[in-house]
Amino acid sequence: MKSTQSPDSNTGIARSKFSYMTATYCLGVFNDNFFKQVAMLLAVTLGLSQLQGYATLLFALPFILFSSIAGWVADRFSKKRVVIVSKGVELCAMLVGAVGLIYGYWPCILAMVFLMGLQSTFFSPALNGSIPELYSEYQVPRANGILKLLTTLSVLAGVACAGISLDLNFQIGSSLIPGVVLAAGVAVIIGLGGVLTSFGTYSKPAAGTTVPFPKLGPISSIKDTIEISRDRQLLLAIMADGCFYFMASMIVLVVNVLGIQELGMSEMATSMLSVSLMIGISVGSLIVSRRINMKKWSRYLVHSSWAIALSLFLGTFVTLLTPATQFYWLSVCLAAAGLAGGFLIIPVASVLQTRPSRSDKGKVLATSNFCVFCAILLSGIIFSVLDSVLLPSQMLGCIAVFAGVTALILLIIRSLIEKSFATSAAGLLRGCLLYTS
């Protein structure tokens, strides 16, 4: 499934189009995280922490139901056109969500979360599939590193601004909550900005896949996963991707409850804990994008998982500290976990983008999204169950254990792949020797 496409050779055009792609991506990522964090903080403040799990389920559901269709669309039609339509859906979602926020109507808020998941399902394989069409295979990891840095900063800004906006208190001459009204307005304006920048994004003419339309939805995604898994490098990348996003989703859900309910922090301070995680991911992504050796990309996965496990384990000791030091200790531990996560996701993203052929790129990226959001969906279910039986600090310890188990599983799979390669190489060498003799 190795890619053979030749990227755009005009550096000036590449930089210009990449800027539009990055702006479009960042605005969407900001809105995703800003709105979701506003909704989750309001839910926790109102004693409705279980809604965090429901919101996670609703956001993940479109990826599970429609990923195979999204991959087919990204391969069948112009990726730029898919991006523009997706951003239009995002703007509609923000309008629905804004009404829900202002009037405290949770069905509208949760409907908006579902619509954001739906547009992201189609947006992600289209935009990410455009990157290797714009840059050479050697340049893709660096482009991914820059994109991950900027999008993670957008996540950081979205999460931080959510807490800040809810803490604001100014007079608006009505019974409405000022911070909530501000949050609703920001979400709509950012959504409109994303629509405008999407017209400057890039893609080559449609690859013109001959694959039939995937009528079976998630069943087609399962079939695609089995087919793609025959390529063991892609199998390892998809597994690592799913495990990472399971942990990341669980961490965000747990940190919100840990900060507000168990440690008694403010909404802004709780948001800053998640910001620490994102800062770590940004720094890790930038470092690894400049130093990575893609021939040895799988080695980063095991080391990163061990580092995540250790960082989260140390974070569980936060309850033993004084209130004055709890925030700083937990921030450092989460930043360290994020740093390790950055070293994991950049190699994985680069393999998923460069290894498939151009006609299969959308399918592979969409299948990866399907697996990732199955993991995120599972995280929402598990969080909803554990939230009623464990303290948040204990749930953080459970995530640390999962990270350790992930490291062991990835180590075993990587060893099996390398052993298989070594066995095949040895067999080929013996055959050549016998032939020459």
Side-chain angles (χ1 to χ4, degrees), residues 12 16 38 78 105 153 159-160 192 209 236 287 299 353 387 432:
S16 174
V38 166
S78 165
Y105 190 59
L153 290 174
V159 172
L192 179 60
T209 180
L236 183 61
I287 293 173
R299 296 185 179 182
Q353 288 173 331
D387 186 42
C432 291

Side-chain angles (χ1 to χ4, degrees), residues 60-78:
L61 195 58
F63 285 90
I64 295 171
L65 296 177
F66 306 115
S67 278
S68 60
I69 298 174
W72 183 86
V73 168
D75 289 333
R76 180 67 178 80
F77 301 103
S78 165

Side-chain angles (χ1 to χ4, degrees), residues 80-92:
K80 178 177 179 178
R81 183 179 300 176
V82 177
V83 168
I84 292 172
V85 173
S86 298
K87 300 306 288 185
V89 173
E90 177 187 331
L91 179 59
C92 294

Side-chain angles (χ1 to χ4, degrees), residues 183-435:
V186 168
V188 172
I189 292 171
I190 296 296
L192 179 60
V195 172
L196 296 177
T197 58
S198 67
F199 285 93
T201 55
Y202 172 88
S203 74
K204 289 186 175 181
T209 180
T210 57
V211 176
F213 181 80
K215 300 177 182 179
L216 300 179
I219 297 176
S220 297
S221 293
I222 294 172
K223 291 180 177 179
D224 289 341
T225 302
I226 295 172
E227 178 186 343
I228 293 168
S229 296
R230 294 170 185 167
D231 184 320
R232 296 183 179 182
Q233 298 289 334
L234 289 177
L235 170 63
L236 183 61
I238 288 173
M239 286 189 63
D241 211 24
C243 289
F244 171 78
Y245 281 101
F246 173 85
M247 291 185 286
S249 176
M250 283 291 292
I251 290 171
V252 172
L253 294 172
V254 169
V255 163
N256 283 335
V257 184
L258 176 62
I260 293 176
Q261 293 186 354
E262 187 171 357
L263 302 181
M265 296 180 182
S266 68
E267 292 169 330
M268 183 169 67
T270 301
S271 287
M272 290 303 170
L273 292 176
S274 294
V275 165
S276 300
L277 177 71
M278 303 308 167
I279 289 176
I281 293 176
S282 299
V283 174
S285 298
L286 186 61
I287 293 173
V288 75
S289 68
R290 296 178 178 275
R291 305 177 67 90
I292 187 172
N293 179 355
M294 286 302 296
K295 293 181 179 179
K296 301 178 180 179
W297 71 275
S298 60
R299 296 185 179 182
Y300 294 86
L301 309 184
V302 178
H303 299 154
S304 298
S305 298
W306 282 123
I308 292 172
L310 177 61
S311 300
L312 296 180
F313 174 72
L314 293 175
T316 61
F317 291 96
V318 67
T319 56
L320 303 178
L321 304 177
T322 62
T325 58
Q326 286 176 337
F327 173 80
Y328 300 103
W329 174 261
L330 198 53
S331 294
V332 170
C333 291
L334 291 173
L339 182 71
F343 273 77
L344 185 150
I345 56 178
I346 293 303
V348 166
S350 299
V351 168
L352 292 173
Q353 288 173 331
T354 60
R355 192 167 179 84
S357 64
R358 184 168 176 248
S359 60
D360 288 332
K361 203 171 297 295
K363 181 176 74 173
V364 170
L365 291 170
T367 301
S368 175
N369 283 341
F370 170 78
C371 295
V372 162
F373 280 90
C374 282
I376 293 177
L377 181 68
L378 183 62
S379 75
I381 296 172
I382 292 176
F383 172 80
S384 297
V385 173
L386 294 182
D387 186 42
S388 61
V389 296
L390 294 178
L391 292 173
S393 56
Q394 294 170 334
M395 286 192 278
L396 195 64
C398 292
I399 304 172
V401 172
F402 177 83
V405 173
T406 297
L408 287 174
I409 293 174
L410 293 177
L411 175 62
I412 292 171
I413 294 175
R414 185 172 69 86
S415 300
L416 291 174
I417 292 174
E418 291 181 352
K419 181 180 179 181
S420 175
F421 174 80
T423 301
S424 299
L428 179 62
L429 179 61
R430 284 197 300 271
C432 291
L433 291 174
L434 288 173
Y435 177 78

